[in-house]
Amino acid sequence: MPTISTLAILSIAVPWLGAVVIWLLRDREAWVQHALAVAFALAGAVAAVAMIPLRTESNVLDFPLGAAFGQVTFLPDGLAVFLAVVAAVIGSLAVIFSVDYMKGEKQLARYYAYVLFFIGSMVGLVLSSNLLVVFVFWEITALCSYALISFYNDDPKAVAAGIKALIITQVGGIGLLAGALFLFVYQGSYDVPTFLANAGKIPANVLALMAFGFLVAAAAKSAQFPFQTWLPDAMEAPTPISALIHAATMVNAGVYLLARFYPAFEAVPHWKLAVLTVGAVTALMAALMAVVSNDLKRVLAYSTVSQLGYMVYAIGAGGLFASQFHLLSHAVFKALLFLSAGAIIHAAGTRDMREMGGLGRQMPLVRIVMIVGGLALAGIPILNGFWSKELVLEAGHEGGPYWAWLIMVFGAGLTALYTLRFITMVFYGEPRGKAHVHDAGPAMKVALVPLALGTLTTWLIAGEFGAFLGKAVTGERPVESTAAVLTQVATAPLTMVALAVVALGLIAWWQHERLSGVATALGGIGTMARNSFGFEAINRGVIAATEGAAESLRGTQNGILNWNVMAILVGLVVVLAILALGGA
Amino acid sequence: MSLSLPLLSAVAVLGLLGIGLLGLLVTRNLIKVVVGMQVLVKGAMLALVLAGKLSGQIQTGQTLALTVIVADTIVSVVALAFAVQVRRQFGTLDLQALSTLRR
């Protein structure tokens, strides 16, 4: 029986080893690569799942890595193991799905190597308890995300989207790095458990800097306001990547970070309100954008941003369990929706929903699982999305301001509306496309069915899940049983309110032709949503300003040695002057 | 104020560093740049030995100076070889004429 530290190492090392092997094999035989990738991903998933009964609340595996990193430690507690299992299991399903989806593509070695590299890094990110190592893994996931968004590197749009994602997530990474360095300066080590236990020993202003630095990092990684623009563009990636990285795992890293460090930052003034506001604003904006988008994958991307907003909102309201439970539900049903969307796009040859319609007849299984996922997203009982979303709303009602709760309930109605909209546009009505549609392949079906079953059943383990997450999430409060959690949700008057709003959203789409008057009246909002509320314009402005500054600084780089020596001398004089003045 | 050996050495160090930097600042000929760098590094070497003497760690200062001698020789040899090749390829040793950056 292997120990937990062996398994922790294995669940990182096995995918990484697979990445190296596939990379070295290069593109010889496609079936060898498919088989190897599936084998390594499944082996990593087995190692991750085997950690479930062995989880522990203390650091394991303590080995020194020089003075810069300090002790490299791993903390496989409930929260970390849960996210590691999500990453490894959904990762292997995405790899299995890729066997059909990437059939006949060139450069499979590059694709699979990065996917496996990503899976290992994501597991490492959640298991590490040394903040600098966490940062390193954090950046590796960003790198893999960039490489896979730009996988079709002869498509300028994909390359631009990859660069955009990379730059925006790097901006957030600075916040995390600053937090890690502050921790080292004031605590003398990067050890996370020590920090969580003794956060009070760090001066209040430094702690506030760290808290908001982490919020920036989490917002950039989880595509929260004001960094949300990269995720919809990231849909240029192959669809299994969108399912794995941009729906189920990497974008949850920000939520994980906030949840993990919540005990330390809880008392920082205004921090909780800031987190809650970021979540609420994001959820509403992204839902509005999802209502007006016509690209199937972009709709799902906006909805991902919106649901991540729900999780961040729950953390800001103090509902850690609700946020993690919603993370679980969302990872399962959103991976399902993305993979079904991949099957549809693969079959229809387009991402534009205006050219789909009537696809249900040729793809019965995909229709069933997509409707299951869609109902979970809309928050219809008894699917997992319903329970977790109600828990989030309840936590927000208890712990947050009233206006934010109203926004979130309205967002739930919008969610139902756009979900029904894309389901009807894709599967019902007359076929508007030209292409001959083929059904999904066998590997695709193998990947879809477990996710659909998960969507139908994960809510049954609510209580066990709470107990599983352990101290990191529930703190000192006793853990409720499944029955208690579910009864509480089912009988709360708030649930009825939320359900009524969801029903309103459904009716609004059903009657949308008759409500066109209202739609015209709200046309201004629609136009703003189509233009992503001006954030793309801000991005362009930042890029233009950077380029202008670079252009005006060009004169200083004239390549003449004498100038450069002069600059070195001036710099030396300045440094000496600072030292002389500072030492005085 | 008697002229002690450390004081003389310090003056020599500053003088060498100043001459070397001045050479780098004003010259445009690649060979002369190498010469200027040589003078500059000799100042640095003397400074190392002097620092070793003043801090009582004579061995350390001398060891570092020896290391610098080796490194500096290699740099100079490679730089002069480059200068020969540059003269053959481009027909000039003028740094400003060689610079390819747009201005």
Side-chain angles (χ1 to χ4, degrees), chain A residues 17-37:
Chain A
L17 182 69
V20 172
V21 168
I22 291 176
W23 184 258
L24 290 179
L25 279 181
R26 306 305 310 172
D27 297 300
R28 293 219 183 96
E29 291 286 333
W31 70 268
V32 174
Q33 281 162 339
H34 287 306
L36 274 177

PDB file of all heavy atoms in Angstrom, chain A residues 17-37:
ATOM      1  N   LEU A  17       5.886  12.597 -16.790  1.00  0.00           N
ATOM      2  CA  LEU A  17       6.674  11.587 -17.485  1.00  0.00           C
ATOM      3  C   LEU A  17       6.033  11.292 -18.842  1.00  0.00           C
ATOM      4  O   LEU A  17       6.730  11.201 -19.874  1.00  0.00           O
ATOM      5  CB  LEU A  17       6.739  10.311 -16.637  1.00  0.00           C
ATOM      6  CG  LEU A  17       7.572   9.186 -17.218  1.00  0.00           C
ATOM      7  CD1 LEU A  17       9.037   9.564 -17.187  1.00  0.00           C
ATOM      8  CD2 LEU A  17       7.353   7.898 -16.444  1.00  0.00           C
ATOM      9  N   GLY A  18       4.694  11.165 -18.841  1.00  0.00           N
ATOM     10  CA  GLY A  18       3.989  10.934 -20.098  1.00  0.00           C
ATOM     11  C   GLY A  18       4.251  12.047 -21.093  1.00  0.00           C
ATOM     12  O   GLY A  18       4.470  11.804 -22.282  1.00  0.00           O
ATOM     13  N   ALA A  19       4.256  13.289 -20.591  1.00  0.00           N
ATOM     14  CA  ALA A  19       4.513  14.418 -21.483  1.00  0.00           C
ATOM     15  C   ALA A  19       5.883  14.276 -22.130  1.00  0.00           C
ATOM     16  O   ALA A  19       6.034  14.455 -23.342  1.00  0.00           O
ATOM     17  CB  ALA A  19       4.433  15.724 -20.690  1.00  0.00           C
ATOM     18  N   VAL A  20       6.896  13.927 -21.317  1.00  0.00           N
ATOM     19  CA  VAL A  20       8.256  13.807 -21.855  1.00  0.00           C
ATOM     20  C   VAL A  20       8.318  12.685 -22.883  1.00  0.00           C
ATOM     21  O   VAL A  20       8.877  12.852 -23.977  1.00  0.00           O
ATOM     22  CB  VAL A  20       9.257  13.563 -20.700  1.00  0.00           C
ATOM     23  CG1 VAL A  20      10.627  13.252 -21.264  1.00  0.00           C
ATOM     24  CG2 VAL A  20       9.319  14.774 -19.805  1.00  0.00           C
ATOM     25  N   VAL A  21       7.717  11.529 -22.529  1.00  0.00           N
ATOM     26  CA  VAL A  21       7.785  10.375 -23.436  1.00  0.00           C
ATOM     27  C   VAL A  21       7.139  10.714 -24.775  1.00  0.00           C
ATOM     28  O   VAL A  21       7.713  10.492 -25.847  1.00  0.00           O
ATOM     29  CB  VAL A  21       7.100   9.157 -22.778  1.00  0.00           C
ATOM     30  CG1 VAL A  21       6.897   8.054 -23.807  1.00  0.00           C
ATOM     31  CG2 VAL A  21       7.926   8.666 -21.616  1.00  0.00           C
ATOM     32  N   ILE A  22       5.919  11.293 -24.712  1.00  0.00           N
ATOM     33  CA  ILE A  22       5.216  11.596 -25.963  1.00  0.00           C
ATOM     34  C   ILE A  22       5.975  12.641 -26.766  1.00  0.00           C
ATOM     35  O   ILE A  22       6.048  12.578 -27.997  1.00  0.00           O
ATOM     36  CB  ILE A  22       3.787  12.056 -25.647  1.00  0.00           C
ATOM     37  CG1 ILE A  22       3.002  10.862 -25.119  1.00  0.00           C
ATOM     38  CG2 ILE A  22       3.110  12.633 -26.862  1.00  0.00           C
ATOM     39  CD1 ILE A  22       1.620  11.192 -24.691  1.00  0.00           C
ATOM     40  N   TRP A  23       6.571  13.590 -26.063  1.00  0.00           N
ATOM     41  CA  TRP A  23       7.329  14.633 -26.750  1.00  0.00           C
ATOM     42  C   TRP A  23       8.524  14.030 -27.481  1.00  0.00           C
ATOM     43  O   TRP A  23       8.830  14.396 -28.618  1.00  0.00           O
ATOM     44  CB  TRP A  23       7.789  15.653 -25.717  1.00  0.00           C
ATOM     45  CG  TRP A  23       8.502  16.826 -26.304  1.00  0.00           C
ATOM     46  CD1 TRP A  23       9.842  17.037 -26.328  1.00  0.00           C
ATOM     47  CD2 TRP A  23       7.903  17.937 -26.963  1.00  0.00           C
ATOM     48  NE1 TRP A  23      10.118  18.219 -26.965  1.00  0.00           N
ATOM     49  CE2 TRP A  23       8.948  18.789 -27.357  1.00  0.00           C
ATOM     50  CE3 TRP A  23       6.595  18.298 -27.255  1.00  0.00           C
ATOM     51  CZ2 TRP A  23       8.722  19.981 -28.031  1.00  0.00           C
ATOM     52  CZ3 TRP A  23       6.372  19.486 -27.923  1.00  0.00           C
ATOM     53  CH2 TRP A  23       7.413  20.308 -28.298  1.00  0.00           C
ATOM     54  N   LEU A  24       9.191  13.079 -26.802  1.00  0.00           N
ATOM     55  CA  LEU A  24      10.386  12.493 -27.411  1.00  0.00           C
ATOM     56  C   LEU A  24      10.029  11.578 -28.577  1.00  0.00           C
ATOM     57  O   LEU A  24      10.817  11.440 -29.515  1.00  0.00           O
ATOM     58  CB  LEU A  24      11.182  11.717 -26.362  1.00  0.00           C
ATOM     59  CG  LEU A  24      11.865  12.593 -25.313  1.00  0.00           C
ATOM     60  CD1 LEU A  24      12.600  11.738 -24.307  1.00  0.00           C
ATOM     61  CD2 LEU A  24      12.820  13.576 -25.967  1.00  0.00           C
ATOM     62  N   LEU A  25       8.848  10.941 -28.515  1.00  0.00           N
ATOM     63  CA  LEU A  25       8.472  10.050 -29.618  1.00  0.00           C
ATOM     64  C   LEU A  25       8.195  10.819 -30.900  1.00  0.00           C
ATOM     65  O   LEU A  25       8.250  10.253 -31.986  1.00  0.00           O
ATOM     66  CB  LEU A  25       7.222   9.253 -29.242  1.00  0.00           C
ATOM     67  CG  LEU A  25       7.460   8.035 -28.362  1.00  0.00           C
ATOM     68  CD1 LEU A  25       6.161   7.338 -28.098  1.00  0.00           C
ATOM     69  CD2 LEU A  25       8.421   7.080 -29.050  1.00  0.00           C
ATOM     70  N   ARG A  26       7.867  12.105 -30.766  1.00  0.00           N
ATOM     71  CA  ARG A  26       7.499  12.941 -31.930  1.00  0.00           C
ATOM     72  C   ARG A  26       6.328  12.301 -32.685  1.00  0.00           C
ATOM     73  O   ARG A  26       5.658  11.401 -32.191  1.00  0.00           O
ATOM     74  CB  ARG A  26       8.687  13.144 -32.876  1.00  0.00           C
ATOM     75  CG  ARG A  26       9.920  13.687 -32.235  1.00  0.00           C
ATOM     76  CD  ARG A  26       9.727  14.990 -31.480  1.00  0.00           C
ATOM     77  NE  ARG A  26       9.023  16.008 -32.275  1.00  0.00           N
ATOM     78  CZ  ARG A  26       8.614  17.162 -31.791  1.00  0.00           C
ATOM     79  NH1 ARG A  26       8.797  17.435 -30.543  1.00  0.00           N
ATOM     80  NH2 ARG A  26       8.005  18.031 -32.545  1.00  0.00           N
ATOM     81  N   ASP A  27       6.090  12.769 -33.906  1.00  0.00           N
ATOM     82  CA  ASP A  27       4.887  12.337 -34.625  1.00  0.00           C
ATOM     83  C   ASP A  27       5.197  11.146 -35.519  1.00  0.00           C
ATOM     84  O   ASP A  27       5.441  11.313 -36.706  1.00  0.00           O
ATOM     85  CB  ASP A  27       4.349  13.505 -35.453  1.00  0.00           C
ATOM     86  CG  ASP A  27       3.930  14.641 -34.555  1.00  0.00           C
ATOM     87  OD1 ASP A  27       3.043  14.438 -33.718  1.00  0.00           O
ATOM     88  OD2 ASP A  27       4.503  15.730 -34.680  1.00  0.00           O
ATOM     89  N   ARG A  28       5.209   9.964 -34.945  1.00  0.00           N
ATOM     90  CA  ARG A  28       5.427   8.801 -35.799  1.00  0.00           C
ATOM     91  C   ARG A  28       4.096   8.152 -36.117  1.00  0.00           C
ATOM     92  O   ARG A  28       3.599   8.240 -37.231  1.00  0.00           O
ATOM     93  CB  ARG A  28       6.356   7.807 -35.081  1.00  0.00           C
ATOM     94  CG  ARG A  28       7.749   8.374 -34.919  1.00  0.00           C
ATOM     95  CD  ARG A  28       8.832   7.352 -35.138  1.00  0.00           C
ATOM     96  NE  ARG A  28      10.124   8.009 -34.889  1.00  0.00           N
ATOM     97  CZ  ARG A  28      10.756   7.951 -33.728  1.00  0.00           C
ATOM     98  NH1 ARG A  28      10.262   7.253 -32.734  1.00  0.00           N
ATOM     99  NH2 ARG A  28      11.896   8.581 -33.556  1.00  0.00           N
ATOM    100  N   GLU A  29       3.543   7.489 -35.094  1.00  0.00           N
ATOM    101  CA  GLU A  29       2.283   6.772 -35.292  1.00  0.00           C
ATOM    102  C   GLU A  29       1.215   7.428 -34.428  1.00  0.00           C
ATOM    103  O   GLU A  29       1.365   7.539 -33.219  1.00  0.00           O
ATOM    104  CB  GLU A  29       2.454   5.307 -34.845  1.00  0.00           C
ATOM    105  CG  GLU A  29       3.354   4.507 -35.743  1.00  0.00           C
ATOM    106  CD  GLU A  29       2.665   4.178 -37.069  1.00  0.00           C
ATOM    107  OE1 GLU A  29       1.415   4.117 -37.079  1.00  0.00           O
ATOM    108  OE2 GLU A  29       3.356   3.989 -38.072  1.00  0.00           O
ATOM    109  N   ALA A  30       0.123   7.858 -35.038  1.00  0.00           N
ATOM    110  CA  ALA A  30      -0.910   8.564 -34.279  1.00  0.00           C
ATOM    111  C   ALA A  30      -1.501   7.686 -33.189  1.00  0.00           C
ATOM    112  O   ALA A  30      -1.676   8.119 -32.055  1.00  0.00           O
ATOM    113  CB  ALA A  30      -2.006   9.044 -35.222  1.00  0.00           C
ATOM    114  N   TRP A  31      -1.752   6.405 -33.512  1.00  0.00           N
ATOM    115  CA  TRP A  31      -2.446   5.569 -32.516  1.00  0.00           C
ATOM    116  C   TRP A  31      -1.580   5.343 -31.294  1.00  0.00           C
ATOM    117  O   TRP A  31      -2.089   5.244 -30.177  1.00  0.00           O
ATOM    118  CB  TRP A  31      -2.889   4.242 -33.135  1.00  0.00           C
ATOM    119  CG  TRP A  31      -1.769   3.295 -33.476  1.00  0.00           C
ATOM    120  CD1 TRP A  31      -1.124   3.206 -34.671  1.00  0.00           C
ATOM    121  CD2 TRP A  31      -1.176   2.321 -32.614  1.00  0.00           C
ATOM    122  NE1 TRP A  31      -0.148   2.245 -34.601  1.00  0.00           N
ATOM    123  CE2 TRP A  31      -0.164   1.682 -33.354  1.00  0.00           C
ATOM    124  CE3 TRP A  31      -1.402   1.920 -31.299  1.00  0.00           C
ATOM    125  CZ2 TRP A  31       0.626   0.673 -32.824  1.00  0.00           C
ATOM    126  CZ3 TRP A  31      -0.603   0.914 -30.766  1.00  0.00           C
ATOM    127  CH2 TRP A  31       0.389   0.301 -31.522  1.00  0.00           C
ATOM    128  N   VAL A  32      -0.220   5.300 -31.492  1.00  0.00           N
ATOM    129  CA  VAL A  32       0.672   5.141 -30.347  1.00  0.00           C
ATOM    130  C   VAL A  32       0.514   6.325 -29.408  1.00  0.00           C
ATOM    131  O   VAL A  32       0.427   6.184 -28.178  1.00  0.00           O
ATOM    132  CB  VAL A  32       2.134   5.021 -30.821  1.00  0.00           C
ATOM    133  CG1 VAL A  32       3.069   5.002 -29.637  1.00  0.00           C
ATOM    134  CG2 VAL A  32       2.304   3.779 -31.664  1.00  0.00           C
ATOM    135  N   GLN A  33       0.452   7.540 -29.991  1.00  0.00           N
ATOM    136  CA  GLN A  33       0.341   8.726 -29.155  1.00  0.00           C
ATOM    137  C   GLN A  33      -0.975   8.765 -28.407  1.00  0.00           C
ATOM    138  O   GLN A  33      -1.022   9.050 -27.211  1.00  0.00           O
ATOM    139  CB  GLN A  33       0.482   9.972 -30.012  1.00  0.00           C
ATOM    140  CG  GLN A  33       1.916  10.245 -30.317  1.00  0.00           C
ATOM    141  CD  GLN A  33       2.033  11.164 -31.470  1.00  0.00           C
ATOM    142  OE1 GLN A  33       1.121  11.305 -32.265  1.00  0.00           O
ATOM    143  NE2 GLN A  33       3.164  11.787 -31.578  1.00  0.00           N
ATOM    144  N   HIS A  34      -2.073   8.470 -29.136  1.00  0.00           N
ATOM    145  CA  HIS A  34      -3.379   8.436 -28.459  1.00  0.00           C
ATOM    146  C   HIS A  34      -3.327   7.454 -27.292  1.00  0.00           C
ATOM    147  O   HIS A  34      -3.716   7.786 -26.167  1.00  0.00           O
ATOM    148  CB  HIS A  34      -4.461   7.986 -29.448  1.00  0.00           C
ATOM    149  CG  HIS A  34      -4.805   9.026 -30.469  1.00  0.00           C
ATOM    150  ND1 HIS A  34      -5.173  10.301 -30.130  1.00  0.00           N
ATOM    151  CD2 HIS A  34      -4.868   8.976 -31.826  1.00  0.00           C
ATOM    152  CE1 HIS A  34      -5.430  10.986 -31.236  1.00  0.00           C
ATOM    153  NE2 HIS A  34      -5.246  10.217 -32.278  1.00  0.00           N
ATOM    154  N   ALA A  35      -2.816   6.242 -27.567  1.00  0.00           N
ATOM    155  CA  ALA A  35      -2.831   5.200 -26.540  1.00  0.00           C
ATOM    156  C   ALA A  35      -1.971   5.605 -25.354  1.00  0.00           C
ATOM    157  O   ALA A  35      -2.386   5.489 -24.193  1.00  0.00           O
ATOM    158  CB  ALA A  35      -2.333   3.886 -27.135  1.00  0.00           C
ATOM    159  N   LEU A  36      -0.762   6.132 -25.637  1.00  0.00           N
ATOM    160  CA  LEU A  36       0.129   6.517 -24.545  1.00  0.00           C
ATOM    161  C   LEU A  36      -0.486   7.622 -23.699  1.00  0.00           C
ATOM    162  O   LEU A  36      -0.441   7.580 -22.463  1.00  0.00           O
ATOM    163  CB  LEU A  36       1.467   7.001 -25.110  1.00  0.00           C
ATOM    164  CG  LEU A  36       2.506   5.932 -25.392  1.00  0.00           C
ATOM    165  CD1 LEU A  36       3.730   6.577 -25.999  1.00  0.00           C
ATOM    166  CD2 LEU A  36       2.879   5.241 -24.093  1.00  0.00           C
ATOM    167  N   ALA A  37      -1.082   8.622 -24.372  1.00  0.00           N
ATOM    168  CA  ALA A  37      -1.654   9.747 -23.631  1.00  0.00           C
ATOM    169  C   ALA A  37      -2.767   9.260 -22.719  1.00  0.00           C
ATOM    170  O   ALA A  37      -2.832   9.627 -21.536  1.00  0.00           O
ATOM    171  CB  ALA A  37      -2.181  10.799 -24.606  1.00  0.00           C
TER     172      ALA A  37
END
